[in-house]
Structure formats: structure tokens, C-alpha cells
Amino acid sequence: MRKLLVALILLTSPTYAQSLLWEVSGNGLKQPSYLFGTYHILKDSYLNQKPTVRDVYAKSQGVVVETTIDSSAMFSMAMRAIMPGKSLDRMLSAADYKLVADEFKRVTGADLALFNMMKPVMTSTMLSMGYAEKESDTLRRFTGQPLDLYFASEGKKLGKTVTALETMDQQMAMLLDHDPVEKQAADLVKMVKEKDSMRGDSKQLTDLYLKGDLNAMWKLGQDYEKKHGDLSYLVKERNENWMKKLPALMALRPTFVAVGALHLPGPDGLIALLKKEGYTVKAL
């Protein structure tokens, strides 16, 4: 039955043009807005080969990103990341801890003991980012700021209205508190034991992003969920929350919306949700 449901979802999922940039018009908008799928660890010199993205960004009066950096929230975020009374070396067997520590050192160059008191998902996140950067010569050739940070900071310099869809505290709560730390620790060990698959997924996602292949990225995301469990809280639920804000923001001014590319495709993606609300959404 599960295989049948997956097959039906694949058959009914929209097919997308090979593009990361989409124009949003109609439904009462006086001027079009734009939806762009980012790759959070990709640097902004990538945009040198995307003149259309630069053009629509320049003429947009508003910028919307997932979150913006709030220095006043840094301390509370750091405290949220700590496990009071627990440490990773006591949560894992000696063999599993050594396995993770050796891999963490290889990928990040840092000693895992420095992060013993941090929630294990922080270590998992650092490893996954390390895999993406370390395994991809393509990513290393780009320079500058991460795309999302660039759009927000440059927007402020240019006097654009910059809006965050989520606070840093909301994002950290989602990352750090969704699963119990015991599950986070088990997932970390599993991640390291399946590192070859993880590295392969990271490289494949990078390659698909640079091709602008939303269809294949969505399928890769579905395959990842089948291996690692329900991740709807990361994409589907957030898309639904963002759709409560985006129409009003786009109605105020022509807006450049920059969010992770995996938020765009699929039946619960922003492209489909915007169309459902009556907007015309076309690839550029």
C-alpha cells in the first residue's frame, strides 16, 4: 500500500521547468513579485552567471528571506543548544563515540569533545554542511556571502524593505527541539555509519541545484524522507505558515522572495500553493 501511495504521489506531482527563478503575478498584484530557490551554503558570486536573478532582485522593492541575523538573540540561541546535565560521550557507547569523533575531526578539523555538551543535531548539521562543502569542488569555486545572507544584507544597503518569514529563535527551536536529544544522538551515529550515502546525496543535491532541476530535487527529497522518516515539519508545515504572510507582502510592493530551493517544488511546494491561491507562476 505504501509503495502504491508513493507511486500515486509521483504521478500527480506537478512537473516544473528547469529554473530556480519564478515570476508571480495576477490575483490582484499591481506588479509581479519573484520567487527564487536558494542553496544555503552557496556563495553569492554564483549570481554572476545569473543576470536575470540580479535584474529582478535590483528592481524589487522588497526582499523576503527565511530569517535574518539577530545579534540580540545569539545568547539565548547558544543556551538553547546546550544539554544541561548531559554530554554526547556519555550518551553513546565508546565505540560509537570514537566513530563519530574520528569522522567529525576528518570533516571539520575540530575535536568533538568541544561539542560534547551541545545537542547532537548541532553536530549532525556541522557534518552535513562539511560533507557538502568538502565533497564539492564546484561549491568551493564560489566566493562571497551565503546567498540568503547576501540578499538580506544587500537589500538593507539598497534601502529595500527586508522581511524575515521566521525569527532565529523559531528556526533554532525547530532544529534543536523537534526531536529528543536521545534520538538526535542515535541519528548522528546512523548518519556517520551511512556517510557514503550522505556524501552522495550532498553531491547529487549540489549538481541538481546548479542545473535548476526542481523535479529531481523534489524526488531526492522524497527518497531522503523514505530513508530517514517524516520531515514535513521542515518543508510542508513551514510553506503553509509562509503562505499566511506572502500574499500581503507581495500586495504591498514588488517583492523578491528567496527561500531554500526544496520549498518550491512538489504538491505542497510554494509554486503549487501560490497557484492554488490564484496567482500565475511562471519560470524565468
Side-chain angles (χ1 to χ4, degrees), residues 52-280:
T52 304
V53 176
R54 286 198 181 276
D55 288 346
V56 300
Y57 176 77
K59 66 185 181 183
S60 296
Q61 297 171 13
V63 176
V64 172
V65 291
E66 292 185 25
T67 194
T68 53
I69 294 177
D70 178 5
S71 57
S72 66
M74 290 295 188
F75 179 75
S76 63
M77 285 172 49
M79 294 305 294
R80 186 190 286 274
I82 293 173
M83 300 186 290
K86 295 184 180 181
S87 65
L88 187 61
D89 58 347
R90 294 200 298 268
M91 295 173 69
L92 301 180
S93 68
D96 283 346
Y97 184 81
K98 184 179 187 309
L99 182 74
V100 174
D102 289 347
E103 180 68 359
F104 191 75
K105 182 74 171 180
R106 184 189 75 81
V107 175
T108 70
D111 190 335
L112 184 60
L114 297 173
F115 301 91
N116 264 341
M117 303 295 291
M118 305 293 281
K119 292 180 180 176
V121 71
M122 292 292 290
T123 303
S124 299
T125 301
M126 292 173 69
L127 268 178
S128 63
M129 291 177 65
Y131 286 144
E133 293 175 347
K134 199 175 184 70
E135 306 301 331
S136 176
D137 293 333
T138 304
L139 283 180
R140 286 196 291 271
R141 79 168 188 253
F142 295 112
T143 59
Q145 301 179 83
L147 281 179
D148 306 73
L149 179 59
Y150 168 81
F151 287 131
S153 60
E154 191 68 12
K156 290 178 182 177
K157 290 179 187 176
L158 295 172
K160 300 178 185 292
T161 300
V162 179
T163 304
L165 292 168
E166 298 166 338
T167 65
M168 287 179 66
D169 191 63
Q170 286 174 320
Q171 285 210 338
M172 294 302 287
M174 173 186 62
L175 173 68
L176 296 169
D177 300 333
H178 183 269
D179 292 324
V181 292
E182 291 77 14
K183 183 179 186 303
Q184 293 178 24
D187 288 345
L188 172 60
V189 173
K190 180 181 179 184
M191 176 183 180
V192 172
K193 289 181 176 179
E194 299 177 357
K195 62 184 179 181
D196 290 341
S197 174
M198 177 65 69
R199 290 202 302 261
D201 287 345
S202 295
K203 184 180 186 309
Q204 187 178 2
L205 181 59
T206 299
D207 293 342
L208 293 175
Y209 179 85
L210 295 175
K211 293 177 184 176
D213 193 340
L214 290 180
N215 300 298
M217 278 190 276
W218 182 77
K219 184 179 183 304
L220 183 64
Q222 295 300 295
D223 291 342
Y224 190 87
E225 276 207 57
K226 282 186 278 184
K227 288 189 289 185
H228 299 283
D230 179 30
L231 298 175
S232 60
Y233 72 97
L234 290 175
V235 179
K236 181 178 182 293
E237 292 177 15
R238 294 169 75 202
N239 285 352
E240 291 170 350
N241 288 332
W242 295 349
M243 283 299 298
K244 297 173 184 176
K245 302 178 181 181
L246 288 176
L249 292 169
M250 295 188 299
L252 283 174
R253 58 184 67 87
T255 297
F256 184 89
V257 181
V259 295
L262 288 175
H263 288 280
L264 272 60
D268 301 305
L270 289 176
I271 294 173
L273 294 178
L274 285 164
K275 288 181 176 179
K276 186 177 178 180
E277 287 295 313
Y279 296 96
T280 298

Side-chain angles (χ1 to χ4, degrees), residues 9-52:
I9 290 171
L10 290 172
L11 286 172
T12 56
S13 177
T15 300
Y16 301 93
Q18 197 157 299
S19 177
L20 297 167
L21 180 64
W22 296 73
E23 181 186 83
V24 183
S25 61
N27 199 25
L29 294 184
K30 295 178 181 178
Q31 298 181 66
S33 285
Y34 301 91
L35 178 64
F36 179 67
T38 69
Y39 190 15
H40 298 317
I41 61 174
L42 185 63
K43 303 297 177 61
D44 67 77
S45 69
Y46 161 78
L47 297 173
N48 293 338
Q49 61 192 42
K50 296 293 179 181
T52 304

